[in-house]
Amino acid sequence: MAFIKLYRKKLQENYQFLDETFKSRNIEWGVVSKLLCGNKIYLKEIIALGVREIHDSRVSNLKKIKALDPEIQTVYIKPPAKRSIESIVKYADISFNTEIYTIQLLSDEAVKQNKTHKIIIMIEMGDLREGVMGEELIDFYGTILKMPNIEISGIGTNFNCLSGVMPTQDKLIQLSLYKQLIEAKFNISIPFVSGGTSVTIPLLLKNARPMAVNHFRIGEALFFGKDLFTGNTIEGMHHDVFKLYAEIIEITEKPNTPTGELGENVAGNSFSMDDVTDLGITSLRAILDIGLLDMQPQYIESDDTDITIVDASSDMLVIDISNSKKTYKIGDLVAFQIRYMGALYLLNSDYIEKIIE
């Protein structure tokens, strides 16, 4: 068997660190829950922290959140698909938008449901994912202001999501200037400038954030405490809120090289004899009860630093335990640190048990 474990105390301490950091700077923030893949057990843990705003990229997850606590403000954090408009208006209090056509559909549906749907207009700031181009923003904004049952809650942007563009003080100042430009043009007030995600936290801690940026959306930092500039753990936070445990189902001394005619394996990879420098050498290998159906080996790392991951098939992971100082036996659990994408695979798998300690 294999399971992923959430450590409640570490999660609470990470949340408290972030909440105090934001509150001391008069910043509103919400938790991005998409990593949890709609798992109700873990969603309840997030709600129990005292979170009042949850962001997700799946409307089905927002529906679960509303069922658990209707008072939580739910935010759909990507441009809505046409075929999801009805459910987004129903289950998302706010959605991120970049298309006039889509916002008109949201407006029409909000009128049908007799609701006011809030939106945040996302602006392209160089990462080349979603966002209205800056030179089109004024005309865009002016068109949206005329739509019934639509309330513009703010503007926002994303960094480091597609092209790896990092947030800088200059980029955030530029976002702040868009706010000033819109407010001056239309004589209105924009409540929120949502320019902060986990990647922006290091700038915040260095007090390099323009005051106009007053809203953050946090996922990875909450669960992994990671400084995305350096790759290190933010001081005062935990990197191991989640851990993976997989059971050993075989231990055998085996050759390091396969024998027979070679072809592609199930993952489409081919073994290359050119990379082998220890022909004829054997190693002590263990097979774990987890595979590519549930995880990707490049996103996990054993707590036992003397273990080497060899490769994985659909349902099994092979590791080399030859150099380990521990003596392993059948049935032992091997613990792994998990990176963000590794947790995403694991939490999306129905075959991995989710538990809490």
Side-chain angles (χ1 to χ4, degrees):
M1 69 171 296
F3 58 88
I4 189 169
K5 182 184 289 187
L6 181 150
Y7 289 89
R8 178 182 287 143
K9 190 172 187 299
K10 292 180 179 181
L11 176 66
Q12 291 171 342
E13 290 175 355
N14 276 5
Y15 177 81
Q16 289 165 3
F17 177 93
L18 291 167
D19 199 43
E20 291 169 6
T21 298
F22 293 130
K23 283 182 176 177
S24 66
R25 293 166 172 82
N26 296 314
I27 294 173
E28 299 286 335
W29 73 293
V31 169
V32 179
S33 65
K34 63 182 179 181
L35 177 73
L36 305 180
C37 300
N39 182 278
K40 287 187 177 180
I41 295 173
Y42 288 163
L43 285 174
K44 287 178 181 178
E45 289 296 313
I46 295 299
I47 293 170
L49 295 171
V51 174
R52 302 316 305 159
E53 179 178 296
I54 297 182
H55 301 233
D56 210 295
S57 57
R58 307 288 178 180
V59 69
S60 57
N61 295 342
L62 297 181
K63 180 179 179 180
K64 291 177 183 178
I65 292 162
K66 282 295 189 185
L68 291 170
D69 188 344
E71 299 305 312
I72 286 181
Q73 180 164 264
T74 50
V75 186
Y76 185 76
I77 54 171
K78 63 180 179 181
K82 179 180 177 179
R83 290 167 180 79
S84 302
I85 294 295
E86 181 180 353
S87 56
I88 286 172
V89 172
K90 187 173 182 179
Y91 299 112
D93 299 307
I94 305 174
S95 61
F96 287 6
N97 283 271
T98 60
E99 290 287 345
I100 290 173
Y101 175 76
T102 303
I103 301 171
Q104 184 63 66
L105 294 177
L106 291 167
S107 173
D108 295 342
E109 184 60 36
V111 170
K112 286 182 185 178
Q113 295 189 27
N114 193 28
K115 296 176 70 173
T116 295
H117 185 72
K118 300 176 183 178
I119 65 170
I120 289 178
I121 297 174
M122 300 299 284
I123 303 171
E124 174 57 58
M125 298 288 290
D127 198 50
L128 302 181
R129 202 176 67 170
E130 84 282 19
V132 178
M133 298 303 292
E135 60 269 23
E136 300 171 1
L137 185 59
I138 294 298
D139 289 342
F140 187 98
Y141 211 96
T143 302
I144 305 307
L145 283 173
K146 303 171 186 175
M147 294 185 183
N149 294 57
I150 292 294
E151 177 184 326
I152 304 175
S153 292
I155 58 175
T157 195
N158 269 311
F159 295 107
N160 195 233
C161 291
L162 183 65
S163 302
V165 172
M166 302 298 279
T168 62
Q169 190 175 37
D170 286 344
K171 289 278 188 184
L172 296 178
I173 289 172
Q174 184 181 350
L175 184 63
S176 303
L177 291 175
Y178 283 132
K179 165 186 161 68
Q180 294 177 23
L181 184 64
I182 294 167
E183 290 180 332
K185 174 68 176 179
F186 298 105
N187 193 28
I188 58 173
S189 176
I190 297 178
F192 294 109
V193 177
S194 187
T197 58
S198 292
V199 73
T200 318
I201 289 177
L203 289 179
L204 180 68
L205 296 175
K206 295 175 182 176
N207 296 316
R209 174 234 10 159
M211 295 300 289
V213 178
N214 61 355
H215 184 268
F216 274 59
R217 318 178 301 271
I218 302 299
E220 187 166 0
L222 175 63
F223 300 114
F224 297 93
K226 191 173 182 180
D227 180 329
L228 294 175
F229 274 84
T230 66
N232 299 326
T233 303
I234 296 170
E235 187 176 352
M237 300 193 76
H238 300 284
H239 70 278
D240 53 354
V241 169
F242 285 112
K243 287 187 78 171
L244 168 67
Y245 295 86
E247 184 176 334
I248 296 176
I249 56 176
E250 176 187 300
I251 300 176
T252 307
E253 186 85 23
K254 292 188 178 183
N256 285 339
T257 55
T259 55
E261 186 175 340
L262 298 177
E264 290 186 348
N265 65 13
V266 295
N269 301 320
S270 300
F271 186 90
S272 175
M273 297 295 288
D274 296 336
D275 297 330
V276 179
T277 57
D278 51 0
L279 288 169
I281 303 299
T282 63
S283 59
L284 187 62
R285 295 188 171 201
I287 297 178
L288 305 182
D289 190 18
I290 190 172
L292 296 175
L293 195 61
D294 314 300
M295 59 87 217
Q296 294 293 312
Q298 66 266 36
Y299 299 125
I300 63 174
E301 182 178 345
S302 175
D303 278 1
D304 183 345
T305 56
D306 294 321
I307 283 177
T308 302
I309 293 176
V310 178
D311 208 344
S313 62
S314 58
D315 294 301
M316 289 178 275
L317 176 68
V318 179
I319 60 175
D320 184 339
I321 59 175
S322 304
N323 298 320
S324 177
K325 300 175 181 64
K326 299 180 182 178
T327 301
Y328 290 98
K329 61 184 184 299
I330 303 300
D332 282 351
L333 291 172
V334 179
F336 292 88
Q337 305 288 335
I338 319 167
R339 292 168 59 188
Y340 181 89
M341 288 303 298
L344 196 61
Y345 279 99
L346 291 161
L347 287 161
N348 195 45
S349 174
D350 291 336
Y351 303 109
I352 300 296
E353 187 179 359
K354 287 82 178 175
I355 63 176
I356 297 168
E357 181 175 300

